[in-house]
């Protein structure tokens, strides 16, 4: 909260340059809403006293708890979980790397009756080009550009 300007003729304790010390000053006149012309009671020097500015709003200085502790800044990652968009872009990057690493030029066409092997490339009519990450008895886990999907296979 903004400190109020002391009334005319009141005494305020403030620094006097001439005395080089804190002195009582008498308020002679108000200059603005936050500053006044004051006179040192010891040496008689005039100066302008300005009301100290209130602390900056909390949003600029960061939140301060009632005990005055400034909370530590937390790393971005722990403050907010990955957005869906970020998760997908991470996934896509991984997909592209794995696809590049895979030198298999033979692309299988997906069918529920097909039997697939790990690390095979697979073309799915709906999901696009995929890379088989693991193979089970009746299902395969396939990395597609958007996400990993479990598909059935070996049903023939
Ligand atoms: Zn003085």
């Amino acid at each position: 909260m903004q400190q109020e300007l002391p009334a005319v003729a009141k005494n305020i304790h403030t620094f006097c340059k001439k005395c080089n010390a804190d002195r009582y000053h008498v308020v002679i006149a108000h200059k603005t809403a936050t500053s006044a012309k004051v006179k040192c009671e010891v040496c008689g020097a005039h100066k302008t006293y300005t009301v100290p500015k209130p602390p900056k709003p909390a949003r600029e200085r960061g939140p301060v708890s009632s005990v005055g502790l400034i909370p530590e800044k937390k790393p971005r990652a722990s403050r907010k979980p990955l957005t869906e968009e970020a998760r997908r872009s991470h996934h896509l990057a991984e997909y592209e790397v794995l696809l590049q690493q895979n030198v298999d030029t033979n692309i299988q066409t997906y069918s529920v009756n097909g039997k697939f092997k790990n690390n095979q490339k697979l073309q799915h009519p709906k999901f696009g080009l995929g890379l088989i990450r693991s193979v089970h008895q009746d299902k395969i886990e396939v990395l597609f550009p958007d996400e990993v999907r479990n598909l059935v296979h070996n049903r023939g």
Side-chain angles (χ1 to χ4, degrees):
M1 199 181 135
Q2 174 92 30
Q3 238 178 287
E4 288 197 24
L5 198 60
V8 173
K10 288 275 182 189
N11 289 317
I12 55 161
H13 202 222
T14 184
F15 188 75
C16 174
K17 268 188 204 167
K18 204 167 166 187
C19 298
N20 194 28
D22 278 328
R23 297 290 190 216
Y24 276 102
H25 287 66
V26 64
V27 178
I28 298 166
H30 286 177
K31 291 176 77 174
T32 69
T34 55
S35 68
K37 197 172 179 186
V38 296
K39 188 178 94 174
C40 175
E41 289 195 333
V42 175
C43 71
H46 288 194
K47 64 170 254 176
T48 298
Y49 169 79
T50 304
V51 173
K53 287 199 171 100
K56 285 181 185 176
R59 65 175 182 276
E60 282 176 37
R61 289 162 64 95
V64 175
S65 72
S66 58
V67 292
L69 280 175
I70 297 167
E72 283 180 47
K73 281 187 180 172
K74 288 176 186 161
R76 224 185 152 89
S78 70
R79 202 168 57 196
K80 199 160 100 175
L82 276 182
T83 62
E84 181 63 14
E85 197 181 334
R87 193 191 66 77
R88 281 178 186 271
S89 93
H90 275 242
H91 172 87
L92 183 61
E94 191 188 0
Y95 166 85
E96 283 171 349
V97 168
L98 288 170
L99 211 65
Q100 274 172 19
Q101 283 172 351
N102 190 301
V103 291
D104 192 357
T105 51
N106 186 18
I107 298 171
Q108 308 288 312
T109 301
Y110 173 75
S111 143
V112 294
N113 298 322
K115 190 173 179 183
F116 302 99
K117 291 179 201 153
N118 207 3
N119 285 321
Q120 270 189 321
K121 284 178 188 170
L122 177 136
Q123 185 67 44
H124 190 281
K126 188 175 173 188
F127 305 132
L129 183 62
L131 185 65
I132 301 171
R133 299 305 298 152
S134 67
V135 177
H136 305 277
Q137 180 62 31
D138 59 353
K139 70 170 189 180
I140 49 176
E141 196 179 88
V142 188
L143 192 65
F144 287 108
D146 56 346
E147 63 182 322
V148 176
R149 289 186 174 84
N150 289 306
L151 303 175
V152 294
H153 83 139
N154 204 15
R155 289 283 174 94

